[in-house]
Amino acid sequence: MTDFIAARLNMVESQVRPNGITDRRIIAAIEQVPRESFVPESRRAIAYMDEDVPLDPSDKAQGPRALIEVMAFARMLQHAMVKPGDKVLVVGAGSGYGAAVIAQLAARVVALECDPGLAGQARRNLAGVANATVVEGALSAGVPGEQPFDVIVAEGRVEEVPPALLAQLSDEGRLVAVVGESEMAQACIYTRSGSTMAVRQVFDASVAALPGLRKKKPAFVF
């Protein structure tokens, strides 16, 4: 039988701390959340490996889904600089793991998920987290009824960040996402300052793609 507590602490010591995670709040939050509870039972034994863990979406047409590797997720959170009073939108919340971690860092978390089955799992997994809410809907649309957000975290790779998500940032708000069309992509931090948006690449990452966030191709012209 797997000792999940020992596996979780070993994950923090071998995958999180050595990769530049210095925010003690992030480390403590990851230590507290049982990652094995957010993956299919048949894959719990690999919940703490240094890789994406496949999930079981109910809408197979949208493509495969995964709980992204903790190393990339932790680095994204550090660059997002989540503060205790922040309201955070998690885009592509999957089964709710990222939202559960972020809920310990922020005042409120809105977890957006497009797959009905995964959204249901997230609601069950987050039932005891008072400051987290699950919303089912298109990832590209965000949750305009809850805007503005101080932080937006895309829990997976996107080909481009939709303008609708950037528009939902508060002034000085930050959006962090792994952006790219190929498997190896770049984690980027977008920061709003008034009417301007600055973007900065912060590290390379290879994480599972999110559905519905593909780059729009230009129309073919004869």
Side-chain angles (χ1 to χ4, degrees):
M1 181 177 292
T2 303
D3 183 343
F4 289 118
I5 295 177
R8 186 158 64 252
L9 295 177
N10 181 64
M11 177 188 72
V12 170
E13 294 302 322
S14 64
Q15 300 175 40
V16 178
R17 290 185 190 273
N19 284 285
I21 307 305
T22 56
D23 189 329
R24 295 180 180 179
R25 296 172 62 237
I26 295 174
I27 293 171
I30 291 173
E31 286 179 338
Q32 290 297 314
V33 178
R35 191 172 166 90
E36 73 276 6
S37 298
F38 294 84
V39 301
E41 187 171 356
S42 62
R43 301 186 188 111
R44 287 188 172 187
I46 63 171
Y48 293 98
M49 293 185 68
D50 185 16
E51 60 184 31
D52 295 346
V53 181
L55 299 175
D56 291 333
S58 59
D59 185 356
K60 306 297 184 184
Q62 294 192 54
R65 297 292 299 278
L67 178 60
I68 65 172
E69 61 179 38
V70 75
M71 181 178 70
F73 176 66
R75 293 184 72 182
M76 291 170 72
L77 289 188
Q78 179 144 298
H79 285 287
M81 296 184 295
V82 180
K83 301 179 180 64
D86 284 348
K87 180 161 76 168
V88 180
L89 172 64
V90 178
V91 177
S95 57
Y97 173 78
V101 172
I102 295 171
Q104 298 184 62
L105 309 174
R108 182 150 183 260
V109 178
V110 178
L112 175 63
E113 178 48 52
C114 60
D115 181 85
L118 292 178
Q121 291 178 36
R123 288 191 184 94
R124 292 189 292 274
N125 290 333
L126 298 171
V129 182
N131 63 334
T133 303
V134 178
V135 176
E136 185 181 331
L139 304 186
S140 60
V143 187
E146 293 277 3
Q147 68 180 36
F149 295 98
D150 301 297
V151 175
I152 298 177
V153 177
E155 207 172 339
R157 175 170 54 84
V158 306
E159 291 190 3
E160 69 175 0
V161 177
L165 293 181
L166 294 172
Q168 292 172 31
L169 282 175
S170 64
D171 193 21
E172 303 304 325
R174 290 85 62 202
L175 182 151
V176 62
V178 175
V179 183
E181 297 182 52
S182 59
E183 186 174 332
M184 181 56 71
Q186 291 75 44
C188 300
I189 182 80
Y190 297 74
T191 305
R192 173 182 293 282
S193 181
S195 59
T196 64
M197 188 75 66
V199 59
R200 178 168 58 96
Q201 293 183 359
V202 287
F203 63 91
D204 294 336
S206 177
V207 298
L210 290 174
L213 294 171
R214 292 185 174 180
K215 194 171 185 178
K216 292 182 179 179
K217 307 297 183 183
F220 182 78
V221 178
F222 289 95

